[in-house]
Amino acid sequence: MKLNERSLAFYATCDAPVDNAGFLYKKGGRHAAYHRRWFVLRGNMLFYFEDAASREPVGVIILEGCTVELVEAAEEFAFAVRFAGTRARTYVLAAESQAAMEGWVKALSRASFDYLRLVVRELEQQLAAVRAGACPPPPLPRRPSALPPKENGCAVWSTEAPVASAALSGSEPPPPPPRRRASAPHGPLDAAPFAQLHEWYGQEIRALRSRWLTSRAQPDRCQGLSWATEGH
Amino acid sequence: MRYNEKELQALSRQPAELAAELGMRGPKKGSVVKRRLVKLVVNFLFYFRTDEAEPVGALLLERCIVAREEPSGFSISFMEDPERKYYFKCCSEEQCQEWMEALHQASYEFMRRSLIFYRNEIQKMTGSPGAVRHI
């Protein structure tokens, strides 16, 4: 298959936001040795270079339709990028620290275009709802909440990890964590109590999520990892 | 540059945002217009010979320039070489508009900007940047 490799190489080294970068060990093949490479994640493309100063990537892993998993390997801090299909390749990578490994696993799990599009669509719907000044649905029976409140008193889930935020907002600082306000200065929803807003948004998102999960019934499309259920 | 071709081929078989048979001409001098099944999947444009399962080729759509090419056609080129164009011929004005619109949105960078935009808008209206559950 032909591919516009020249453009791809250009994209690898241009000034678009970088979602993560660092040295990783990459296993050559099933029985091959690890090679230390400089990895750059940009969008749904994971480029790898001979070293940080190289002008052109050695290669790229296109990150659509993959899962990211922790693996048992001789190498410490190892994880895998696994694609579906009988002869599909599994890329085994190893970071140089626990923190680096966690950072990579998180960034790679959210890297697909598919996932980003889903997030954008959810926000688009939320904005439309907020603008329409829609009445919140009738209060639902209180269900036992397994979600512990966050330290700042507000149970809105944070949207981005610091690395991803920095990449997304370019030169701007990441948005401050959501603050609980007694009443918002503008907007049609300032009369609704926060808990009700949270429940309302949560409902919408749970519904969207279950629709998404059923439409992506193949396990290889699942982006979730154990971190996805942390403390919310 | 090495790339995971099998996975790219698998991607070409995923549901498309847009797919149609269009006339296509490559950037090389002297190339002729050929009928191709053109398929937009995430930020890739695949093109197939009609009735073939594997694509002839794929274009990553990051940093691309989409321009109108009269009559009822458009071109795709890339920022590092804007004059090196892939030409596409549509069967109508509407189809051409539809493709140009879809291609404009088919980049990761565009999606990123949309994300920032929506979060800012929601923040302006509600004081918080929107609740999105990471799944």
Side-chain angles (χ1 to χ4, degrees), chain B residues 58-122:
Chain B
L59 297 174
L60 173 69
L61 297 170
E62 298 299 329
R63 307 239 134 178
C64 75
I65 301 161
V66 182
R68 194 57 206 272
E69 304 286 339
E70 296 299 339
S72 60
F74 61 89
S75 64
I76 296 175
S77 61
F78 297 90
M79 283 192 183
E80 76 276 7
D81 197 350
E83 292 311 309
R84 190 169 183 273
K85 296 179 175 185
Y86 293 81
Y87 293 91
F88 297 86
K89 198 105 171 60
C90 300
C91 64
S92 71
E93 200 50 51
E94 291 75 33
Q95 190 185 45
C96 190
Q97 278 295 101
E98 192 185 13
W99 274 93
M100 290 182 72
E101 181 71 35
L103 289 166
H104 172 67
Q105 299 185 19
S107 77
Y108 206 96
E109 301 310 316
F110 175 87
M111 281 292 156
R112 248 198 248 278
R113 289 194 297 271
S114 302
L115 179 76
I116 294 166
F117 170 78
Y118 288 121
R119 279 170 62 192
N120 287 342
E121 290 298 301
I122 290 170

Side-chain angles (χ1 to χ4, degrees), chain A residues 1-11 14-17 19 43-45 57-62 64 83 87-89 91 110-111 113 115-120 122-124 126-127 130-131 156-160 168 175 178 181 186-187 205 209 212 221 227-228 232, chain B residues 1-9 11-12 14-15 17 41-44 46-47 54-63 78-81 84 86 105-109 111-112 114-135:
Chain A
M1 186 190 339
K2 288 186 229 169
L3 180 61
N4 55 332
E5 289 183 41
R6 214 185 316 172
S7 306
L8 203 55
F10 182 75
Y11 182 55
C14 72
D15 59 3
D19 296 295
N44 56 348
M45 304 279 136
V58 170
V60 64
I61 302 170
I62 298 161
E64 292 295 323
F83 291 89
R87 278 157 28 185
R89 175 90 186 259
Y91 293 87
R110 307 183 199 190
F113 185 97
Y115 175 76
L116 180 59
R117 185 169 47 193
L118 185 80
V119 170
V120 168
E122 282 185 13
L123 289 177
E124 192 178 6
Q126 277 183 36
L127 180 62
V130 164
R131 278 179 172 165
V156 171
W157 301 300
S158 74
T159 52
E160 298 295 340
L168 285 178
R181 295 185 194 197
H186 310 284
I205 286 154
R209 180 190 178 195
W212 184 78
R221 299 306 294 246
W227 60 264
H232 296 121
Chain B
M1 195 193 322
R2 281 182 240 148
Y3 67 96
N4 46 336
E5 184 160 1
K6 276 209 197 68
E7 283 72 43
L8 193 56
Q9 282 170 346
L11 189 62
S12 77
Q14 295 306 311
E17 278 72 70
V41 182
V42 297
N43 53 349
F44 280 92
F46 296 101
Y47 48 100
E54 297 301 343
V56 172
L59 297 174
L60 173 69
L61 297 170
E62 298 299 329
R63 307 239 134 178
F78 297 90
M79 283 192 183
E80 76 276 7
D81 197 350
R84 190 169 183 273
Y86 293 81
Q105 299 185 19
S107 77
Y108 206 96
E109 301 310 316
M111 281 292 156
R112 248 198 248 278
S114 302
L115 179 76
I116 294 166
F117 170 78
Y118 288 121
R119 279 170 62 192
N120 287 342
E121 290 298 301
I122 290 170
Q123 176 129 38
K124 273 193 258 178
M125 296 198 75
T126 66
S128 85
V132 179
R133 181 76 162 92
H134 281 302
I135 41 189

Side-chain angles (χ1 to χ4, degrees), chain A residues 8 10 24 27 38-39 49 52 74 82 94 107 110-111 114 122 139 155 164 169-170 175 177 194 204 215 226:
Chain A
L8 203 55
F10 182 75
L24 290 172
K27 206 163 197 290
W38 177 256
F39 279 77
F49 300 77
R82 193 183 297 278
R110 307 183 199 190
D114 222 12
E122 282 185 13
S169 51
F194 189 85
E204 203 179 348
S215 75
S226 59

